[in-house]
Coordinates of all heavy atoms in Angstrom, one line a residue:
M1 N 140.2 63.2 192.1 CA 141.5 63.6 192.3 C 141.5 64.7 193.4 O 140.7 65.7 193.3 CB 142.1 64.2 191.0 CG 143.6 64.4 191.1 SD 144.3 65.1 189.6 CE 144.9 66.6 190.2
A2 N 142.4 64.6 194.4 CA 142.4 65.6 195.4 C 143.0 66.9 194.9 O 143.8 66.9 193.9 CB 143.3 65.1 196.5
R3 N 142.6 68.0 195.5 CA 143.1 69.3 195.1 C 144.6 69.3 195.4 O 145.0 69.0 196.4 CB 142.3 70.4 195.8 CG 142.7 71.8 195.5 CD 141.8 72.7 196.2 NE 142.4 74.1 196.2 CZ 142.2 75.0 195.3 NH1 141.5 74.7 194.2 NH2 142.8 76.2 195.4
A4 N 145.3 69.8 194.4 CA 146.7 70.0 194.5 C 147.1 71.0 195.6 O 146.3 71.9 195.8 CB 147.4 70.3 193.2
K5 N 148.2 70.9 196.1 CA 148.7 71.9 197.1 C 149.9 72.6 196.4 O 150.6 72.1 195.5 CB 149.2 71.2 198.3 CG 148.1 70.5 199.2 CD 148.6 69.9 200.4 CE 149.2 68.5 200.3 NZ 148.2 67.5 200.0
A6 N 150.0 73.9 196.8 CA 151.1 74.7 196.2 C 152.2 74.9 197.2 O 151.9 75.1 198.4 CB 150.5 76.0 195.8
C7 N 153.4 74.8 196.7 CA 154.6 75.0 197.6 C 154.7 76.5 197.8 O 154.7 77.3 196.9 CB 155.8 74.4 196.9 SG 157.3 74.8 197.8
R8 N 154.9 76.9 199.1 CA 155.0 78.3 199.4 C 156.4 78.8 199.0 O 156.6 80.0 198.9 CB 154.8 78.5 200.9 CG 153.4 78.5 201.3 CD 153.2 79.2 202.7 NE 151.7 79.2 203.1 CZ 151.2 78.2 203.8 NH1 151.9 77.1 204.2 NH2 149.9 78.2 204.1
D9 N 157.4 77.9 198.9 CA 158.7 78.3 198.6 C 159.0 78.5 197.1 O 159.6 79.4 196.7 CB 159.7 77.3 199.2 CG 159.7 77.3 200.7 OD1 159.4 78.4 201.3 OD2 159.9 76.3 201.3
C10 N 158.5 77.5 196.3 CA 158.8 77.6 194.8 C 157.5 77.6 194.0 O 157.6 77.7 192.8 CB 159.7 76.5 194.4 SG 158.9 74.8 194.4
H11 N 156.3 77.6 194.6 CA 155.0 77.6 193.9 C 154.7 76.4 193.1 O 153.7 76.4 192.4 CB 155.0 78.9 193.0 CG 154.9 80.2 193.7 ND1 154.4 81.3 193.2 CD2 155.2 80.5 195.0 CE1 154.5 82.3 194.0 NE2 155.0 81.8 195.1
F12 N 155.5 75.3 193.2 CA 155.2 74.1 192.5 C 153.9 73.5 193.0 O 153.7 73.5 194.2 CB 156.4 73.1 192.7 CG 156.4 72.0 191.7 CD1 157.0 72.1 190.5 CD2 155.9 70.7 192.1 CE1 157.1 71.0 189.6 CE2 155.9 69.7 191.2 CZ 156.5 69.8 190.0
L13 N 153.1 72.9 192.1 CA 151.8 72.3 192.5 C 152.1 70.8 192.6 O 152.6 70.1 191.7 CB 150.7 72.5 191.4 CG 150.1 73.9 191.4 CD1 149.1 74.1 190.3 CD2 149.5 74.3 192.8
T14 N 151.6 70.2 193.7 CA 151.8 68.8 193.9 C 150.6 68.2 194.7 O 150.0 68.9 195.5 CB 153.1 68.5 194.7 OG1 153.2 67.1 194.9 CG2 153.1 69.2 196.0
A15 N 150.4 66.9 194.6 CA 149.4 66.2 195.4 C 150.0 65.6 196.6 O 149.4 65.0 197.5 CB 148.6 65.2 194.6
E16 N 151.4 65.6 196.7 CA 152.1 65.0 197.8 C 152.1 65.9 199.0 O 151.7 67.1 198.9 CB 153.5 64.7 197.3 CG 153.7 64.0 196.0 CD 153.1 62.6 196.0 OE1 153.3 61.9 197.0 OE2 152.5 62.2 195.0
T17 N 152.7 65.4 200.1 CA 152.8 66.2 201.3 C 154.2 66.9 201.3 O 154.4 67.7 202.2 CB 152.7 65.3 202.6 OG1 153.6 64.2 202.5 CG2 151.2 64.8 202.7
Q18 N 155.0 66.6 200.4 CA 156.3 67.3 200.3 C 156.5 67.7 198.8 O 156.1 67.0 197.9 CB 157.4 66.3 200.7 CG 158.8 67.0 200.7 CD 159.9 66.0 200.9 OE1 159.9 64.9 200.3 NE2 160.8 66.3 201.8
C19 N 157.0 68.9 198.7 CA 157.3 69.4 197.3 C 158.3 68.6 196.6 O 159.5 68.5 197.1 CB 157.7 70.9 197.4 SG 158.2 71.6 195.8
P20 N 158.0 68.0 195.5 CA 159.0 67.2 194.8 C 160.1 68.1 194.1 O 161.1 67.6 193.6 CB 158.2 66.4 193.7 CG 157.0 67.2 193.5 CD 156.7 68.0 194.8
N21 N 159.8 69.3 194.0 CA 160.7 70.3 193.3 C 161.9 70.7 194.3 O 163.0 70.7 193.9 CB 160.0 71.4 192.8 CG 160.8 72.3 191.9 OD1 161.6 71.8 191.1 ND2 160.6 73.6 191.9
C22 N 161.5 71.2 195.5 CA 162.5 71.8 196.4 C 162.5 71.1 197.7 O 163.2 71.5 198.6 CB 162.3 73.3 196.5 SG 160.8 73.7 197.5
K23 N 161.7 70.0 197.9 CA 161.7 69.2 199.1 C 161.1 69.9 200.3 O 161.3 69.5 201.4 CB 163.1 68.7 199.4 CG 163.8 68.0 198.3 CD 163.1 66.8 197.8 CE 163.7 66.1 196.6 NZ 162.8 65.3 195.8
S24 N 160.5 71.0 200.1 CA 159.9 71.8 201.2 C 158.6 71.1 201.6 O 157.9 70.5 200.8 CB 159.6 73.2 200.8 OG 158.8 73.8 201.7
T25 N 158.2 71.2 202.9 CA 156.9 70.7 203.3 C 156.0 71.8 203.6 O 154.9 71.7 204.2 CB 157.1 69.8 204.6 OG1 157.8 70.5 205.6 CG2 157.8 68.5 204.2
N26 N 156.4 73.0 203.3 CA 155.6 74.2 203.5 C 154.6 74.4 202.3 O 154.9 75.2 201.4 CB 156.6 75.4 203.6 CG 155.9 76.7 204.1 OD1 154.7 76.6 204.4 ND2 156.6 77.8 204.0
L27 N 153.5 73.6 202.4 CA 152.6 73.6 201.3 C 151.3 74.3 201.7 O 150.9 74.3 202.9 CB 152.3 72.2 200.8 CG 153.5 71.3 200.5 CD1 153.1 69.9 200.2 CD2 154.2 71.9 199.3
S28 N 150.6 74.8 200.7 CA 149.3 75.5 201.0 C 148.2 75.1 200.0 O 148.5 74.9 198.8 CB 149.5 77.0 200.8 OG 148.3 77.7 200.9
T29 N 147.0 74.9 200.5 CA 145.9 74.6 199.6 C 145.2 75.9 199.2 O 144.3 75.8 198.4 CB 144.8 73.7 200.4 OG1 144.5 74.4 201.6 CG2 145.4 72.4 200.7
S30 N 145.7 77.0 199.7 CA 145.1 78.3 199.3 C 146.0 79.0 198.3 O 147.0 79.6 198.7 CB 144.9 79.1 200.6 OG 144.3 80.3 200.2
Y31 N 145.6 79.0 197.0 CA 146.4 79.6 196.0 C 145.5 80.0 194.9 O 144.4 79.5 194.7 CB 147.5 78.7 195.5 CG 147.0 77.4 194.9 CD1 146.7 77.4 193.5 CD2 146.9 76.3 195.6 CE1 146.2 76.2 193.0 CE2 146.4 75.1 195.1 CZ 146.1 75.1 193.7 OH 145.6 73.9 193.2
T32 N 145.9 81.0 194.1 CA 145.1 81.4 192.9 C 146.0 81.3 191.7 O 147.2 81.7 191.7 CB 144.6 82.8 193.1 OG1 145.7 83.7 193.4 CG2 143.5 82.9 194.2
G33 N 145.4 80.9 190.6 CA 146.0 80.9 189.3 C 147.0 79.7 189.1 O 147.6 79.3 190.1
V34 N 147.0 79.1 188.0 CA 147.9 78.0 187.7 C 148.6 78.3 186.4 O 148.0 78.7 185.4 CB 147.1 76.7 187.5 CG1 148.0 75.6 187.0 CG2 146.4 76.3 188.8
V35 N 149.9 78.2 186.4 CA 150.6 78.4 185.2 C 151.4 77.1 184.9 O 151.8 76.4 185.8 CB 151.6 79.6 185.2 CG1 151.0 80.8 185.8 CG2 152.9 79.2 186.0
V36 N 151.5 76.8 183.6 CA 152.2 75.6 183.2 C 153.4 76.1 182.4 O 153.3 76.8 181.4 CB 151.4 74.6 182.3 CG1 152.2 73.4 181.9 CG2 150.1 74.2 183.1
I37 N 154.6 75.8 183.0 CA 155.8 76.1 182.3 C 156.3 74.9 181.5 O 156.5 73.8 182.0 CB 156.9 76.5 183.4 CG1 156.4 77.7 184.2 CG2 158.2 76.9 182.7 CD1 156.1 79.0 183.5
L38 N 156.5 75.2 180.2 CA 156.8 74.1 179.3 C 158.4 74.0 179.1 O 159.0 75.0 179.3 CB 156.2 74.3 177.9 CG 154.7 74.4 177.9 CD1 154.2 74.7 176.5 CD2 154.1 73.0 178.4
R39 N 158.8 72.9 178.8 CA 160.2 72.7 178.6 C 160.6 73.4 177.3 O 160.0 73.2 176.3 CB 160.5 71.2 178.5 CG 162.0 70.8 178.5 CD 162.2 69.3 178.5 NE 161.7 68.7 179.8 CZ 162.5 68.7 180.9 NH1 163.7 69.3 180.9 NH2 162.0 68.1 182.0
G40 N 161.7 74.1 177.3 CA 162.2 74.7 176.1 C 162.7 73.7 175.1 O 163.0 72.6 175.4
R41 N 162.9 74.2 173.9 CA 163.3 73.3 172.8 C 164.7 72.7 173.0 O 164.9 71.6 172.6 CB 163.3 74.1 171.5 CG 162.2 73.7 170.6 CD 162.4 74.3 169.2 NE 162.5 75.7 169.2 CZ 162.8 76.5 168.2 NH1 163.1 75.9 167.0 NH2 162.9 77.8 168.3
H42 N 165.5 73.4 173.6 CA 166.9 73.0 173.9 C 167.1 72.7 175.3 O 168.3 72.8 175.8 CB 167.9 73.9 173.3 CG 167.6 74.2 171.8 ND1 167.9 73.3 170.9 CD2 167.2 75.3 171.2 CE1 167.5 73.8 169.7 NE2 167.1 75.0 169.9
H43 N 166.0 72.4 176.1 CA 166.1 72.2 177.5 C 166.8 73.4 178.2 O 167.6 73.2 179.2 CB 166.9 70.9 177.8 CG 166.1 69.7 177.3 ND1 165.7 68.7 178.1 CD2 165.8 69.3 176.0 CE1 165.0 67.8 177.3 NE2 165.1 68.1 176.1
D44 N 166.5 74.5 177.7 CA 167.1 75.7 178.3 C 166.4 76.0 179.6 O 165.3 75.6 179.9 CB 166.9 76.9 177.3 CG 167.9 76.9 176.2 OD1 168.9 76.2 176.4 OD2 167.7 77.6 175.2
D45 N 167.0 76.9 180.3 CA 166.3 77.5 181.5 C 165.1 78.3 181.0 O 165.2 79.1 180.2 CB 167.3 78.5 182.1 CG 166.9 79.0 183.4 OD1 165.6 79.1 183.6 OD2 167.7 79.3 184.3
P46 N 163.9 77.9 181.5 CA 162.6 78.5 181.1 C 162.6 80.0 181.3 O 161.9 80.8 180.6 CB 161.5 77.9 181.9 CG 162.1 76.8 182.6 CD 163.6 76.9 182.6
R47 N 163.5 80.5 182.2 CA 163.5 81.9 182.5 C 164.0 82.7 181.3 O 163.7 83.9 181.2 CB 164.4 82.2 183.7 CG 163.6 81.8 185.0 CD 164.5 81.9 186.2 NE 165.6 81.0 186.1 CZ 166.5 80.7 187.1 NH1 166.4 81.3 188.2 NH2 167.4 79.8 186.9
K48 N 164.7 82.1 180.4 CA 165.3 82.8 179.3 C 164.2 83.1 178.2 O 164.3 84.0 177.5 CB 166.3 81.9 178.6 CG 167.6 81.9 179.3 CD 168.7 81.1 178.5 CE 169.7 80.5 179.3 NZ 170.4 79.4 178.6
T49 N 163.1 82.2 178.2 CA 162.2 82.4 177.1 C 160.8 82.7 177.6 O 159.9 83.1 176.9 CB 162.0 81.1 176.3 OG1 161.9 80.0 177.2 CG2 163.3 80.8 175.4
S50 N 160.5 82.6 178.9 CA 159.2 82.9 179.5 C 159.2 84.0 180.5 O 160.0 84.0 181.5 CB 158.7 81.6 180.1 OG 157.5 81.9 180.9
Y51 N 158.4 85.0 180.2 CA 158.3 86.2 181.1 C 157.8 85.7 182.5 O 158.3 86.1 183.5 CB 157.3 87.2 180.5 CG 157.0 88.3 181.4 CD1 157.9 89.3 181.6 CD2 155.7 88.4 182.0 CE1 157.5 90.4 182.5 CE2 155.3 89.4 182.8 CZ 156.3 90.4 183.1 OH 155.9 91.4 183.9
I52 N 156.8 84.8 182.4 CA 156.2 84.3 183.7 C 157.2 83.5 184.5 O 157.4 83.7 185.7 CB 154.9 83.5 183.4 CG1 153.8 84.4 182.9 CG2 154.5 82.8 184.7 CD1 152.6 83.7 182.4
A53 N 158.0 82.7 183.8 CA 159.0 81.9 184.5 C 160.0 82.8 185.1 O 160.5 82.6 186.2 CB 159.7 80.9 183.5
E54 N 160.4 83.9 184.4 CA 161.3 84.8 184.9 C 160.8 85.5 186.1 O 161.5 85.7 187.2 CB 161.7 85.8 183.8 CG 162.9 86.6 184.1 CD 163.1 87.8 183.2 OE1 162.6 87.8 182.1 OE2 163.7 88.8 183.7
R55 N 159.5 86.0 186.1 CA 158.9 86.7 187.2 C 158.8 85.8 188.4 O 159.0 86.3 189.5 CB 157.5 87.2 186.8 CG 157.5 88.4 185.9 CD 158.1 89.7 186.6 NE 157.4 90.0 187.8 CZ 156.3 90.8 187.9 NH1 155.9 91.3 186.8 NH2 155.7 91.0 189.0
L56 N 158.4 84.5 188.2 CA 158.3 83.6 189.3 C 159.6 82.9 189.7 O 159.6 82.1 190.6 CB 157.2 82.6 189.0 CG 155.7 83.2 188.8 CD1 154.8 82.0 188.5 CD2 155.3 83.9 190.1
N57 N 160.6 83.2 188.9 CA 161.9 82.6 189.1 C 161.8 81.1 189.1 O 162.3 80.3 190.0 CB 162.5 83.0 190.5 CG 164.0 82.9 190.5 OD1 164.7 82.8 189.5 ND2 164.6 82.7 191.7
I58 N 161.2 80.5 188.0 CA 161.0 79.1 187.8 C 162.1 78.6 186.9 O 162.3 79.1 185.8 CB 159.6 78.8 187.3 CG1 158.6 79.1 188.3 CG2 159.5 77.4 186.8 CD1 157.2 79.2 187.7
D59 N 162.9 77.6 187.3 CA 164.0 77.1 186.5 C 163.7 75.7 186.0 O 164.5 75.1 185.3 CB 165.3 77.2 187.2 CG 165.4 76.4 188.4 OD1 164.4 75.7 188.8 OD2 166.4 76.4 189.1
K60 N 162.5 75.1 186.3 CA 162.2 73.8 185.9 C 160.8 73.8 185.3 O 159.9 74.4 185.9 CB 162.3 72.8 187.0 CG 163.6 72.2 187.2 CD 163.7 71.2 188.4 CE 164.5 71.9 189.5 NZ 164.4 71.2 190.7
P61 N 160.5 73.1 184.2 CA 159.1 73.0 183.7 C 158.2 72.3 184.7 O 158.6 71.5 185.5 CB 159.3 72.1 182.4 CG 160.7 72.1 182.1 CD 161.4 72.3 183.4
G62 N 156.9 72.6 184.6 CA 156.0 72.0 185.5 C 154.8 72.9 185.7 O 154.6 73.9 185.1
K63 N 153.9 72.5 186.7 CA 152.7 73.3 187.0 C 153.0 74.0 188.3 O 153.4 73.5 189.3 CB 151.5 72.3 187.2 CG 150.6 72.2 186.0 CD 149.5 71.2 186.3 CE 148.2 71.8 186.3 NZ 147.1 70.8 186.5
Y64 N 152.7 75.3 188.2 CA 152.9 76.2 189.4 C 151.7 77.1 189.7 O 150.9 77.4 188.8 CB 154.1 77.1 189.0 CG 155.4 76.4 188.9 CD1 155.8 75.8 187.7 CD2 156.3 76.3 189.9 CE1 157.0 75.1 187.5 CE2 157.5 75.6 189.8 CZ 157.8 75.0 188.6 OH 159.0 74.4 188.4
A65 N 151.6 77.5 190.9 CA 150.6 78.4 191.3 C 151.1 79.8 191.1 O 152.3 80.1 191.3 CB 150.2 78.2 192.8
L66 N 150.2 80.7 190.6 CA 150.5 82.1 190.4 C 150.8 82.8 191.7 O 151.8 83.5 191.9 CB 149.4 82.7 189.6 CG 149.8 83.8 188.6 CD1 151.0 83.3 187.7 CD2 148.6 84.2 187.8
K67 N 149.8 82.6 192.7 CA 149.9 83.3 194.0 C 149.6 82.2 195.0 O 148.6 81.5 195.0 CB 148.9 84.4 194.1 CG 149.4 85.7 193.5 CD 148.4 86.8 193.8 CE 148.9 88.1 193.2 NZ 147.8 89.1 193.0
V68 N 150.4 82.1 196.0 CA 150.2 81.2 197.2 C 150.0 82.0 198.4 O 150.8 83.0 198.7 CB 151.5 80.3 197.3 CG1 151.2 79.3 198.4 CG2 151.8 79.6 196.0
R69 N 149.0 81.7 199.1 CA 148.7 82.4 200.4 C 149.1 81.6 201.6 O 149.2 80.4 201.5 CB 147.3 82.8 200.5 CG 147.0 84.1 199.7 CD 145.6 84.4 199.6 NE 144.9 83.4 198.8 CZ 143.6 83.5 198.4 NH1 142.9 84.5 198.7 NH2 143.1 82.6 197.6
Ligands
ZN1 ZN1 158.8 73.8 196.4

């Protein structure tokens, strides 16, 4: 499996050449840390229940890079 790329705009991790989350093509292979944001029980905004989601401003569940360079 190829190393995933991280979106510089929303930090989403993807193996594609375009971010499926925000449609940006501004991707980086240089990132540190991976966080997985899980879907809330009531499909709530993850920012309500997750400190990390709030800090990274993530509003959809998925795999994200902690820091993108
Ligand atoms: Zn993105």
Side-chain angles (χ1 to χ4, degrees):
M1 194 182 118
R3 181 174 162 87
K5 293 183 276 289
C7 175
R8 284 198 180 90
D9 293 329
C10 71
H11 290 202
F12 196 85
L13 286 176
T14 179
E16 312 293 324
T17 52
Q18 184 189 45
C19 174
N21 190 38
C22 70
K23 308 300 175 203
S24 168
T25 53
N26 190 7
L27 305 174
S28 171
T29 53
S30 182
Y31 60 88
T32 52
V34 172
V35 316
V36 178
I37 301 298
L38 302 174
R39 190 176 291 281
R41 254 192 299 173
H42 304 291
H43 296 242
D44 281 343
D45 188 330
R47 285 173 296 189
K48 286 187 209 162
T49 50
S50 167
Y51 171 76
I52 292 172
E54 195 193 335
R55 284 295 302 272
L56 296 178
N57 201 25
I58 291 167
D59 61 2
K60 269 177 251 171
K63 261 176 116 177
Y64 293 84
L66 213 50
K67 276 188 182 158
V68 185
R69 276 172 293 189

